[in-house]
Amino acid sequence: MSRLTRRATYAAIGAVWLAAIAAGALAGLADSFGPPPLGKDLEYSTTVLDRDGKLLRAYLTDEGRWRLPATQADVDPRFIEALLAYEDKRFFSHHGVDPLAMTRAAYQFATQGHIVSGGSTITMQVARLLEPRRERSLYAKYRQMVRALQLEWALDKDQILSLYLTLAPYGGNLEGIRAASLAYFGKEPRRLTLGETALLVALPQSPEYRRPDRHPERAQAARNRVLDRIAGNGLFSAEERASAKTEPVPHARKPMPLSAPHAADEARSASAGAKTIHLTIDGRLQRRLERLARERAAALGDAMSAAIVVVKNETGEILVRVASPDYFDKARAGQVDLTRALRSPGSALKPFIYGLGFEDGLVHPETLIEDRPTRYGDYAPENFDQTFQGTVTVRRALQLSLNVPAVAVLDAVGPNRLLARLGEAGAALKLPDHETAGLALGLGGIGVKLIDLTALYSGLARQGTVAPLRERTGAAVLPDKRLMAQVAAWYVGNVLRGAPPPPNALGGRIAFKTGTSYGYRDAWAVGFDGEYTIGVWVGRPDGAPVTGLVGRTAAAPILFDAFARLTQKPKALLPAPKGIVTARTAQLPPPLRRFAGRGEQGEAMRPKVRIVFPPNNASLALTSDAAGLDSIAIKIAGGTPPLNVLVNGLPFETARGAGTLFFAPDGPGFVRLTVTDATGAADSVTVRLQ
């Protein structure tokens, strides 16, 4: 048989194919193949998205493939134009098989002796991808065409195109335009250059032969053929095509996106098989602070690590969770989630000690307090620098993080009460095994998670209520939890706003506190403005001590840099609520001018004043008449007059001495009653009115 005869034969075979397709469609022969696969059972890579729908992390399918779902909206429109111009010009007008393309392919083969174009439509390629077959025969081609017709009957054009964009092979374990664009160019395919577009159009035809990471010269030649082929469509100018041919071809694959990996792992584990998971995390900010954590951890030394949490105060949404500097760094235990590790907070709990002191009316920011050697039985707290400041204001004591005054206030407030209050606000605190709450917990003798500590500080920013943290978009919004009285929280924030900043940082812009655990194992810095709260932890994942690791020099600079990367100008704290007392020490009510602790130096001043009625934790029934609710009696015994009575932390009445007072309740609920005498001694009870 001559060459011309063979070509004519192949052309005739092409015509027979077309006739067979028409006959099969008309006669209903397609039914013999059964219903076509429509891609409904495809396994996709699980994708974790940020608050704006951008990819944070993707996971391989069980088959080890990167297969990310894609639609036209996910792709640069110019890619769609180039793809159709090169592969299937009449995609939107044919019904799965293009007779003109098939005839042209057969004629080109018959006249030129080799395959110039395959004649397969986008729909036919989708049919082959949905029902892959190894054999290459006329029967296989016929089946593929019939399946294409069936797909066109079952799906619309956009659905078919989406399947192509999701399933087209790009070499190795890459399937779909998104996986290919991320692996070869390190970006989503929404904004592709013309050179990138042409390469991604060319690869699915022969993905292994043209893989740019293995055969860059073949990939470049295929890309340039695409550019030449689409020249006659008028889509791109000659200058654009010439420039596209000069673009370098990638010689290696890039790693897939891996932002917030610990949060993604946690969400995937709890997602019950969901393939698309939306988080509240801000991907752009997450990546910024991941870089910051990597830079600072490297500067701090080998095996050092850092963690950062950013919370939106109003909603409790987690915007950033950097759980380690590098997920794959074994030396820094990168896969350990340090935002959820129990660590000693050092002095970072002191603001809550003073907050309860403010709430109880025991102290005011301008109250004088002693910073002198003091002993509580066998326990004698010392300051970090092992010096004493003498008489200072509470404001100064908190800003300088003095230990002795904080322990004195904790002794008056009660360690168990502090522990219970922080627990009620949502913090999972853990005491050392076989230990009970004691005064040492105020200086870090307890375990706390960075994520919980950040939530507690966010409660200060919100003036006394904690919004339960949320990391999943659409998760149920839980009720706020009470941390402390509004006035008390404002006092704490006002004091912390004046804390001395780290070197080379501007003060007065955020309220913040640092902490250093015993033995230099953990360094903390947590701060807030009117909109955000940021928590920072620095240390070794294995808990080993690090000489000189101090919150002020290790963690606070990261906190201030994180705020700088978050916002150019921190937002002002919430305005002062009603009930704030703004006065100098000498202008305060006598009981608030000086606080006398109960350590050995103040033994003679042990409080004798007490509330006899109502007893602590009592439940009282409210009664009423035509004039309203009846008054509640407060019976006070002992103390040095004058006695100052507070209801829910607000001044109620000053009494000349012990006796009975009456106050009018607002209605059902919990009420805290406090009495202080002239020496600073105090007693408090909490009662329930119902």
Side-chain angles (χ1 to χ4, degrees), residues 395-408:
R395 180 184 299 275
R396 188 71 172 161
L398 179 52
Q399 290 174 347
L400 296 181
S401 195
L402 301 177
N403 290 342
V404 176
V407 171

Side-chain angles (χ1 to χ4, degrees), residues 171-232:
N173 62 348
L174 300 177
E175 291 190 6
I177 182 70
R178 291 181 64 201
S181 184
L182 290 166
Y184 293 132
F185 308 123
K187 63 181 180 180
E188 292 277 5
R190 293 187 181 92
R191 289 184 175 84
L192 297 170
T193 66
L194 181 54
E196 293 166 348
T197 291
L199 179 60
L200 294 179
V201 168
L203 288 182
Q205 293 182 353
S206 188
E208 294 302 324
Y209 183 80
R210 298 172 178 176
R211 278 182 62 171
D213 57 327
R214 293 187 177 179
H215 310 291
E217 69 290 342
R218 297 175 186 172
Q220 181 174 343
R223 177 198 67 184
N224 292 345
R225 283 196 296 272
V226 170
L227 292 169
D228 292 338
R229 182 88 63 83
I230 64 177

